[in-house]
Amino acid sequence: MDGKGQMELSTHIKDHVAYPISKKDFMASCENLGHVPPETREWVAKTLPDQTYRSAEDVYHALNLPHQH
């Protein structure tokens, strides 16, 4: 994933999602992550475990993405 993809995904995780959220609803949010580059969306779809996330921090950890605690 390139820097732009990671930045767009991080913005989505932090600012565009109401928690708790399931993987299915996360992937469907914001018109199916329409502002996130296609290769990043595909990576998230394959990498994100199918569960409910209570917070942005949970998503960051599940995707092993850098973030501030």
Side-chain angles (χ1 to χ4, degrees):
M1 161 179 20
D2 65 12
K4 182 181 185 319
Q6 187 169 335
M7 184 181 72
E8 292 292 340
L9 178 58
S10 184
T11 298
H12 184 79
I13 293 168
K14 287 187 311 187
D15 301 331
H16 298 181
V17 177
Y19 294 94
I21 194 166
S22 66
K23 176 183 179 177
K24 178 182 174 191
D25 290 340
F26 179 84
M27 295 304 299
S29 60
C30 290
E31 299 179 9
N32 299 309
L33 301 176
H35 60 289
V36 175
E39 57 275 357
T40 301
R41 286 194 307 268
E42 291 169 16
W43 177 81
V44 172
K46 287 189 284 188
T47 307
L48 189 65
D50 190 12
Q51 64 186 51
T52 298
Y53 298 90
R54 293 173 295 150
S55 67
E57 182 108 354
D58 287 350
V59 176
Y60 283 118
H61 282 285
L63 293 173
N64 199 28
L65 291 174
H67 62 286
Q68 297 198 5
H69 292 270

